[in-house]
């Protein structure tokens, strides 16, 4: 992308770091940026937002006032952004795109929401998604499907479809999504933007409505690698409210962007390039590998032999944890409650069958089954064993490679409704992304050209634990390579 | 005569005496207006995460060590799932197959017989909230939600209610001495479930029932007796025991079926993904071991065998750790064990009771107590004057020596002065003197009393006795 765009052009097209410079140079105000975004949001036809923050302009004015007093909080001060609607925001409803929480206003904010607010960001609103983050199309929403801004007849990917579409459609300078099995990377790929899932524990999960606790991770969706580095630096790090968050110091993510491709050791696991991957996607990823090689990277083929177990392990573990995490939605304390019931048991039953959508119910049933006495060892325990094997695979290849390069999704965005009736076919679409969550590793999806229909293709970089910096280096190199 | 044997095991829940809850910073204080001791974490809001309170682990390890358990160096938490409005997350965070403490025991004496009760395991978990049933509606109070508990599971080692009672008393004492729990039954800090089965001698164990809601030691005893009788009646009549969960109704003195085995709950246990496993080093465990106080049973043993106190004294002194510590410190400051014990069991207990104070409010230091006892031993004041001094020490922060001096309470041992008082009393009480001389030897005590009164309690009583006898004969 051009480094030289300024406020002279459409403000909406700026990256976050470009907008930041315009703010710093006094060429534009946060109120102007925010107003531009709000205008675009109100005109958008793609069902990207569930809730718009009515206080956005107020927050922007406060950012401008800080700037006027010389109290700028950092590069993101005054930048309008939006959050996936499973990230709790105090005083602003957080629905998880579910009827169950359609009117739920959290009494507290997620750590990431607080950190962005502390960094001075303006919250534009809350983004559409698959209900409780279960899905890979953002069609499983109580508020209707998200449409892909690149082609409104097609899905935006999921579950963070709204987060990816918002960035692609220039409705926010960046967004946050959550990634349990690819939910940041896959929609980013389908909408042609960048999405990162950091190492498990790098970013606090406190306040992010849990889907699968051992797999969930928040991730930024941005227009480029530099924006990703800025956002990551603002939200990553130890949180006393999340026992699984990591205390390791943050590296200089912005400096990592300058690393370049030269000497970067890239492995391409053959299990990710075989059957099931569309030829166009495969060719685009190979072309990106070639570009990086031309810039001085060392590219080799490698193998992660246990990849085939990842999908099953992922669905067993994530469904088990989901069934546990979603038990609390019972109509007693908050959220939806059925209208008529004779007793407590009926109240809970009817509330849950009316409040949850089909996909959520499917996962809860799956989870209940795998956790049942007599099945626990055969499913949950074996899935955990598979998890160990998958981690071992990765550990081995990372002795040889700095990053792995794979497709993000086997195919580009498909038409709305097409795969909705066949859950198993849909689950198989997660094949390139889930093993990263199962192993707790960081990965990102970067734009990797267009297919013959003009639809975005995504390439995925995977790094070893806490390798966010090397991911940013690879992503920045790929951008420079001109594949975008 | 008894052809049946009873087999009993207990599951005891004790609330830990930590300041804050197990996964959040809310207070564990009992009471409070409904839903005021709650936050998003303990009320199970969407997206919250638990942060394990380290004190909870420490307290559980302390209890485990005091109950002779092995401490599991690698332990973790699990989720136990069920739907009930008092459980806001729809699971209780507990421990399943890797509890913190394993395999311990408690030695008890029941009906004069020593007995060792095995402890199977001790684990940590969170308490649930409370339902408030009203006409037409039920409300939930989450104040108790997330208060830390330990569950102590025993081996099925009990044969009768006396052993159950002795065990609960011993356990309560240990938890109080180790300051793990305040054991307030009336606040639900200590509660127990009973598993009971009976079988004919020589036959395998029978089907067991589980009884819940035993909120006092007397309820546990009554419930055990009732259930053993009930099962005996059923079996004697040729019936069968079904594996039911029963609820004890303390007011009615009987139990009723809460649920039977067919609808037994399945809990879908699985490892808690939001809490990292607990890895305890030997150093950590040793540090806790070093903070353990001497336990009451050991103290009693020492009081009897080393200090020569009667068992009765030893038992009274160890009812409270504070009193027992006070006793030990006073003895260490040089006082005679039996006289310390006498004053504690007499005046001190009486004065605490009169004021309605807990032992911890005792305003007398061990040093002052020892000083007072030394005044008595030296004959500076009499025993009964000592009681008065203690009473003054309850209200005034002064040393016993100062009190005795200020108020002129020192004993009069001047033979001349005492003889003069005795003469006066003899002269004023001819009737008593006649009685005495007529053979009623005990009448002299009345004269002694008169002299003591005249001296305002300060005359040395044995000298008074001696001089009166001298003058009368
Ligand atoms: Zn709380």
């Amino acid at each position: 992308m051009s480094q030289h765009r300024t406020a002279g052009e459409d403000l909406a097209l700026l990256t976050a770091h470009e907008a930041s410079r315009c703010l710093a140079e006094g060429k534009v105000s946060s109120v102007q940026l925010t107003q531009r975004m709000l205008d675009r949001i109100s005109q958008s036809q793609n069902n990207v937002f569930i809730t718009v923050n009515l206080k956005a302009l107020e927050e922007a004015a406060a950012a401008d006032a800080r700037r006027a007093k010389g109290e700028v909080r950092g590069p993101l001060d005054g930048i309008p952004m939006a959050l996936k609607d499973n990230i709790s925001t105090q005083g602003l409803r957080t629905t998880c795109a579910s009827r169950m929480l359609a009117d739920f206003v959290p009494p507290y904010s997620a750590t990431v929401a607080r950190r962005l607010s502390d960094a001075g960001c303006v919250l534009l609103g809350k983004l559409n998604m698959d209900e409780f983050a279960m899905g890979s199309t953002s069609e499983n929403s109580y508020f209707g499907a998200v449409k892909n801004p690149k082609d409104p007849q097609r899905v935006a990917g999921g579950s963070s479809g709204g987060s990816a579409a918002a960035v692609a459609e220039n409705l926010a300078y960046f967004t946050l999504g959550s990634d349990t099995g690819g939910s940041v990377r896959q929609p980013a790929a389908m909408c042609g933007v960048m999405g990162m899932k950091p190492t498990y524990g790098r970013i606090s999960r406190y306040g992010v409505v849990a889907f699968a606790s051992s797999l969930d991770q928040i991730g930024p969706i941005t227009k480029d690698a530099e924006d990703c580095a800025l956002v990551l630096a603002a939200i990553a790090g130890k949180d006393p409210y999340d026992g699984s968050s990591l205390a390791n110091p943050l590296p200089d993510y912005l400096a990592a962007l300058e690393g370049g491709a030269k000497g970067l050791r890239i492995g391409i696991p053959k299990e990710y390039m075989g059957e099931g991957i569309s030829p166009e996607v495969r060719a685009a990823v190979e072309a990106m590998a070639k570009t990086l090689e031309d810039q001085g990277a060392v590219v080799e083929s490698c193998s992660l032999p246990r990849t085939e177990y990842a999908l099953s392990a992922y669905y067993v573990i994530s469904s088990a944890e989901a069934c546990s995490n979603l038990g609390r939605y019972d109509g007693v304390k908050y959220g939806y409650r059925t209208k008529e019931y004779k007793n407590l048991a009926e109240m809970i039953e009817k509330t849950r069958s009316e409040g949850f959508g089909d996909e959520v119910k499917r996962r809860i049933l799956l989870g209940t089954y795998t956790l049942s006495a007599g099945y626990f060892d055969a499913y949950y325990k074996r899935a955990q064993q598979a998890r160990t094997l998958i981690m071992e695979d990765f550990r081995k290849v990372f002795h040889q490679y700095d990053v792995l390069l794979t497709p993000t999704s086997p195919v580009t965005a498909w038409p709305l409704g097409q795969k909705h009736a066949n859950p198993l076919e849909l689950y198989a679409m997660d094949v390139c992304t889930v093993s990263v969550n199962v192993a707790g590793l960081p990965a990102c999806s970067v734009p990797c050209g267009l297919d013959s229909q003009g639809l975005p293709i995504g390439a995925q970089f995977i790094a070893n634990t806490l390798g966010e910096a090397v991911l940013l280096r690879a992503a920045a190199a790929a951008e420079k390579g001109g594949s975008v | 005569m008894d052809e049946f044997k009873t087999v009993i095991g207990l599951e005891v829940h004790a609330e830990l005496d930590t300041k804050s809850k197990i996964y959040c910073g809310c207070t564990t204080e009992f009471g409070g207006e409904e839903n005021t001791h709650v936050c998003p974490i303990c009320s199970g809001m969407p997206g919250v995460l638990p942060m394990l309170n380290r004190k909870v682990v420490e307290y559980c390890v302390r209890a485990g060590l005091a109950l002779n358990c092995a401490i599991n160096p690698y332990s973790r938490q699990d989720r136990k799932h069920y739907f009930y409005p008092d459980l806001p997350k729809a699971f209780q965070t507990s421990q399943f197959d890797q509890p913190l403490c394993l395999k311990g025991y408690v030695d008890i004496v029941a009906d004069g017989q020593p007995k060792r009760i095995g402890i199977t395991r001790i684990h940590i978990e969170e308490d649930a909230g409370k339902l408030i049933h009203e006409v037409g509606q039920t409300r939930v109070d989450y104040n108790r939600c997330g208060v830390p508990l330990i569950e102590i599971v025993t081996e099925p080692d009990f044969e009768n209610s006396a052993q159950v009672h002795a065990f609960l008393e011993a356990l309560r004492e240990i938890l109080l001495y180790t300051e793990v729990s305040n054991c307030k039954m009336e606040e639900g800090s200590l509660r127990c479930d009973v598993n009971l089965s009976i079988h004919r001698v020589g036959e395998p164990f029978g089907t067991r029932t589980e009884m819940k809601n035993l909120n006092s030691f007397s309820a546990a005893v009554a419930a055990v007796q009732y259930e053993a009788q009930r099962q005996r009646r059923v079996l004697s009549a040729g019936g069968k025991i079904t594996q039911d969960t029963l609820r004890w109704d303390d007011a009615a003195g009987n139990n009723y079926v809460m649920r039977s085995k067919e609808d037994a709950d399945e809990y879908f246990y699985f490892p808690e993904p939001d809490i990292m496993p607990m890895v305890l080093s030997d150093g950590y465990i040793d540090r806790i071991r070093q903070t353990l106080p001497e336990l009451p049973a050991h103290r009693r043993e020492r009081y009897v065998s080393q200090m020569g106190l009667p068992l009765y004294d030893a038992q009274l002194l160890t009812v409270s750790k504070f009193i027992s510590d006070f006793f030990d410190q006073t003895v260490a400051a040089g006082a005679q064990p039996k006289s310390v014990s006498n004053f504690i069991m007499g005046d001190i207990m009486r004065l605490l009771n009169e004021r309605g104070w807990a032992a911890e409010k005792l305003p007398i230091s061990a040093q002052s107590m020892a000083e007072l006892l030394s005044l008595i031993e030296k004959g500076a004041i009499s025993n009964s004057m000592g009681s008065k001094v203690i009473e003054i020490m309850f209200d005034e922060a002064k040393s016993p020596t100062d009190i005795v001096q200020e108020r002129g309470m020192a004993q009069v041992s001047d033979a001349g002065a005492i003889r003069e008082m005795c003469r006066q009393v003899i002269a004023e009480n001819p009737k008593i003197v006649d009685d005495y001389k007529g053979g009623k030897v005990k009448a002299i005590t009345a004269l002694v009393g008169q002299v003591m009164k005249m001296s305002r309690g300060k005359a040395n009583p044995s000298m008074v006795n001696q001089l009166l006898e001298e003058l009368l004969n």
Side-chain angles (χ1 to χ4, degrees):
Chain A
M1 276 195 188
S2 157
Q3 301 287 310
H4 307 293
R5 282 188 314 211
T6 62
E9 298 172 49
D10 184 352
L11 291 177
L13 301 179
L14 303 179
T15 63
H17 62 88
E18 285 165 348
S20 176
R21 199 170 52 208
C22 291
L23 285 168
E25 290 168 356
K27 293 179 175 157
V28 69
S29 69
S30 176
V31 168
Q32 281 174 299
L33 294 176
T34 303
Q35 191 59 62
R36 183 78 188 100
M37 291 295 116
L38 292 173
D39 290 346
R40 290 185 59 85
I41 291 166
S42 67
Q43 285 154 17
S44 167
Q45 302 290 310
N46 294 326
N47 205 17
V48 174
F49 278 76
I50 290 176
T51 307
V52 173
N53 180 17
L54 297 177
K55 291 184 176 152
L57 283 170
E58 219 174 278
E59 290 175 24
D64 288 334
R66 279 195 297 274
R67 195 172 291 280
K69 281 194 282 178
E71 291 167 2
V72 180
R73 291 178 180 173
L76 293 178
D77 199 351
I79 301 293
M81 57 86 199
L83 302 172
K84 187 174 181 177
D85 208 19
N86 60 352
I87 298 172
S88 300
T89 43
Q90 186 172 0
L92 189 64
R93 78 171 173 162
T94 301
T95 70
C96 289
S98 179
R99 182 183 194 189
M100 193 62 95
L101 293 175
D103 300 311
F104 178 68
V105 179
Y108 76 107
S109 281
T111 297
V112 284
R114 231 173 351 90
R115 287 193 177 169
L116 287 177
S117 158
D118 290 348
C121 290
V122 174
L123 176 61
L124 293 165
K126 307 298 291 291
L127 298 158
N128 205 353
M129 57 186 276
D130 282 305
E131 184 180 4
F132 284 102
M134 295 172 191
S136 36
T137 63
S138 298
E139 290 169 292
N140 304 324
S141 167
Y142 178 60
F143 301 93
V146 179
K147 295 172 191 162
N148 192 322
K150 306 287 175 185
D151 177 352
Q153 305 299 313
R154 291 174 185 268
V155 299
S159 65
S160 311
S163 302
V167 175
E169 205 186 337
N170 300 307
L171 305 179
Y173 290 96
F174 71 90
T175 62
L176 295 187
S178 69
D179 190 316
T180 306
S183 282
V184 159
R185 291 160 286 158
Q186 186 258 27
M190 288 192 172
C191 294
V193 293
M194 177 168 175
M196 179 183 281
K197 181 215 100 82
T199 308
Y200 183 76
R202 182 74 289 189
I203 297 174
S204 168
R205 289 180 292 120
Y206 184 73
V208 180
V209 181
F211 160 15
S213 312
S214 74
L215 302 162
D216 293 346
Q217 188 61 197
I218 285 291
I221 295 180
T222 56
K223 295 182 183 177
D224 67 5
E226 185 171 342
D227 283 2
C228 183
L230 280 176
V231 177
L232 193 59
I235 61 176
K238 180 73 185 165
D239 176 13
Y241 286 96
D242 178 358
S244 65
S245 68
L246 300 171
N248 308 57
L250 302 189
D252 185 341
Y253 292 127
L254 282 172
L257 298 167
E258 310 301 327
K262 196 163 165 39
L264 195 65
R265 298 171 303 163
I266 301 174
I268 301 185
K270 61 178 197 285
E271 291 79 6
Y272 286 74
M273 296 292 269
E275 219 182 307
I277 307 296
S278 98
E280 278 191 286
V281 169
R282 194 186 305 142
V285 172
E286 281 164 353
M288 176 179 277
K290 180 79 179 57
T291 316
L292 290 166
E293 206 170 15
D294 291 346
Q295 292 179 52
V298 181
V299 183
E300 286 173 9
S301 176
C302 66
S303 173
L304 296 166
R306 275 83 163 241
T307 301
E308 56 173 318
Y309 305 133
L311 205 57
S312 323
Y314 169 78
Y315 274 96
V316 169
I317 294 168
S318 65
S319 303
E321 293 180 358
C323 121
S324 170
N325 285 326
L326 271 63
R328 70 190 64 199
Y329 308 108
D330 56 8
V332 173
K333 309 162 288 282
Y334 45 72
Y336 177 76
R337 183 189 291 181
T338 188
K339 295 286 162 290
E340 282 175 36
Y341 46 89
K342 290 192 280 293
N343 53 43
L344 176 70
E346 194 190 52
M347 190 277 277
I348 295 177
E349 251 175 68
K350 282 183 74 184
T351 294
R352 288 171 68 80
S353 63
E354 293 162 16
F356 289 136
D358 287 348
E359 184 59 27
V360 172
K361 281 188 252 187
R362 193 152 33 233
R363 308 274 183 122
I364 291 174
L365 284 175
L366 199 59
T368 310
Y369 181 76
T370 56
L371 286 180
S372 303
Y375 296 99
F376 184 83
D377 287 0
Y379 293 103
Y380 189 80
K381 222 170 181 174
R382 283 186 71 190
Q384 291 294 1
Q385 287 160 353
R387 188 172 202 170
T388 311
L389 296 177
I390 291 160
M391 286 174 172
E392 238 168 56
D393 266 10
F394 277 113
R395 221 181 347 259
K396 275 184 201 148
V397 296
F398 283 122
H399 287 308
Q400 278 171 280
Y401 304 104
D402 302 313
V403 287
L404 305 179
L405 175 60
T406 77
T408 306
S409 166
V411 296
T412 52
W414 53 84
L416 285 159
Q418 192 192 62
K419 297 193 199 305
H420 206 64
N422 191 341
L424 275 184
E425 190 191 342
L426 208 48
Y427 293 174
M429 291 292 112
D430 300 339
V431 67
C432 298
T433 46
V434 290
S435 54
V436 163
N437 299 75
V438 169
L441 298 174
C444 67
S445 178
V446 295
C448 183
L450 305 175
D451 70 2
S452 53
Q453 299 176 85
L455 296 169
I457 296 170
Q460 173 176 243
F461 290 110
I462 306 171
N464 206 350
T465 304
L466 291 172
E468 287 78 10
V470 76
L471 289 179
L472 289 167
R473 175 183 167 196
E479 275 170 15
K480 236 180 248 157
S483 309
V484 180
Chain B
M1 81 166 232
D2 198 352
E3 55 165 339
F4 288 107
K5 271 190 101 82
T6 308
V7 178
I8 306 162
L10 299 183
E11 288 165 23
V12 182
H13 287 90
E15 278 186 353
L16 301 183
D17 207 10
T18 54
K19 285 200 173 58
S20 55
K21 291 187 179 181
I22 184 167
Y23 303 120
C24 65
C26 290
T27 177
T28 57
E29 207 177 300
F30 186 78
E33 207 176 306
E34 285 158 26
N35 296 309
T36 52
H37 300 170
V38 296
C39 71
I41 297 174
C42 57
S43 59
M45 288 285 170
V48 295
L49 296 171
M51 274 305 288
L52 178 60
N53 179 347
R54 284 161 177 270
K55 284 277 171 204
V56 170
V57 178
E58 186 190 317
Y59 280 37
C60 181
V61 169
R62 203 149 75 199
L65 291 172
L67 298 173
N68 306 297
C69 288
I71 306 302
N72 200 346
Y74 178 94
S75 156
R76 61 153 197 256
Q77 296 215 256
D78 299 88
R79 294 180 178 182
K80 177 184 180 180
H81 299 83
Y82 59 95
F83 285 109
Y84 204 64
D86 66 1
L87 193 66
K89 297 180 291 184
F91 59 81
Q92 179 191 33
T93 309
S94 178
Q95 295 194 281
F96 183 51
D97 56 353
Q98 295 287 352
L100 269 170
C101 313
L102 295 158
K103 284 194 193 339
Y105 62 86
V106 177
D107 288 325
I108 60 165
V109 177
D111 296 331
Q113 297 295 312
K115 168 107 187 161
R116 177 163 286 188
I117 303 297
I119 304 287
T120 314
R121 56 181 281 161
I122 309 175
H123 70 249
I124 55 172
E125 60 185 29
E126 57 183 334
D127 208 348
K130 194 175 83 185
L131 296 192
I132 302 157
H133 298 287
E134 290 172 347
V135 181
Q137 66 168 353
T138 298
R139 293 178 301 118
V140 200
D141 176 11
Y142 291 126
N143 280 356
R144 300 315 288 163
C145 228
V147 169
L149 297 175
I150 50 174
E151 181 175 330
I152 301 161
V153 182
T154 76
E155 292 292 305
D157 286 345
F158 302 91
E159 297 150 314
N160 55 51
S161 60
Q163 291 173 358
V164 168
H165 190 255
F167 171 83
L168 290 174
E169 287 290 1
L171 180 66
R172 180 174 170 277
E173 245 179 21
I174 292 171
L175 296 178
L176 283 172
Y177 268 65
T178 49
E179 290 163 7
V180 163
S181 172
N182 65 26
C183 296
K184 289 183 184 161
M185 309 283 296
E186 68 280 9
E187 295 180 1
S189 296
L190 200 63
R191 8 191 236 261
C192 90
D193 301 341
V194 168
N195 292 303
L196 188 148
S197 71
I198 65 172
H199 62 276
R200 288 191 168 82
V201 176
E203 288 182 5
F205 283 12
T207 304
R208 68 191 170 99
T209 59
E210 184 183 1
M211 240 181 317
K212 294 199 174 280
N213 193 36
L214 305 172
N215 294 325
S216 69
F217 290 1
S218 59
V221 166
V224 164
Q225 287 168 349
Y226 176 88
E227 180 60 10
Q229 284 296 330
R230 187 190 71 84
Q231 292 194 13
R232 203 162 298 202
R233 265 200 318 277
V234 172
L235 290 186
S236 298
K240 268 195 162 163
I241 302 298
T242 48
Q243 194 182 330
D244 295 331
T245 300
L246 309 165
R247 191 178 171 84
W248 175 252
D249 182 341
D250 206 31
N254 60 23
N255 61 32
Y256 57 92
V257 177
M258 264 169 85
R259 55 176 181 264
S260 54
K261 201 201 171 186
E262 294 83 71
D263 41 54
D265 282 315
E266 187 177 351
Y267 292 120
F268 307 102
Y269 277 104
F270 87 102
E272 168 58 79
D274 288 326
I275 301 173
M276 302 300 105
M278 292 164 266
V279 182
L280 308 184
S281 70
D282 289 348
Y284 172 83
I285 296 165
D286 281 343
R287 275 196 298 282
I288 295 174
R289 200 191 305 274
Q290 277 155 23
T291 66
L292 281 184
E294 186 190 9
L295 294 176
H298 194 264
R299 291 184 195 218
R300 280 192 289 273
E301 153 78 28
R302 182 164 57 81
Y303 293 169
V304 172
S305 67
Q306 291 179 25
M307 296 184 173
L309 293 186
L311 181 61
Y312 176 79
D313 288 37
Q315 278 166 342
L316 272 183
L317 290 175
T318 51
V319 161
S320 139
K321 175 173 181 285
F322 183 87
I323 290 295
S324 174
D325 286 346
F326 177 72
F327 168 77
D328 279 331
Q329 287 157 9
T330 310
V331 171
Q336 285 299 314
K338 182 58 185 160
S339 21
V340 186
S341 169
N342 285 345
F343 266 101
I344 290 177
M345 295 190 306
D347 292 311
I348 289 186
M349 292 296 190
R350 175 178 57 82
L351 290 164
L352 287 172
N353 272 338
E354 280 172 13
R355 284 166 166 75
W357 289 356
E360 287 73 14
K361 280 195 74 179
L362 179 68
I364 300 175
S365 72
Q367 284 303 329
S368 313
M369 188 66 201
E371 187 182 321
L372 175 69
L373 290 169
S374 121
L375 289 175
I376 295 171
E377 208 181 326
K378 284 189 298 197
I381 56 169
S382 64
N383 240 318
S384 60
M385 201 54 93
S387 298
K388 284 186 186 141
V389 175
I390 287 189
E391 188 152 3
I392 296 166
M393 287 164 80
F394 260 67
D395 298 317
E396 297 176 24
K398 285 180 182 155
S399 80
T401 310
D402 288 349
I403 293 172
V404 167
Q405 249 168 27
E406 268 175 29
R407 310 198 178 209
M409 295 163 92
Q411 187 158 269
V412 175
S413 302
D414 172 351
I418 295 178
R419 182 172 288 123
E420 190 46 47
M421 284 190 276
C422 289
R423 280 211 183 97
Q424 206 177 325
V425 166
I426 288 171
E428 286 170 5
N429 295 282
K431 173 87 177 64
I432 303 176
V433 172
D434 284 351
D435 285 352
Y436 177 79
K437 289 190 169 161
K440 286 175 97 179
V441 186
K442 281 193 174 169
I444 198 167
T445 51
L447 296 175
V448 173
Q450 292 292 327
V451 177
M452 292 308 289
K453 199 174 163 191
M454 188 177 283
S455 74
R456 274 175 283 139
K458 289 187 286 184
N460 182 328
S462 59
M463 282 180 74
V464 172
N465 218 321
Q466 201 192 325
L467 286 168
L468 276 172
E469 273 180 14
E470 217 179 278
L471 291 167
L472 289 167
N473 295 320

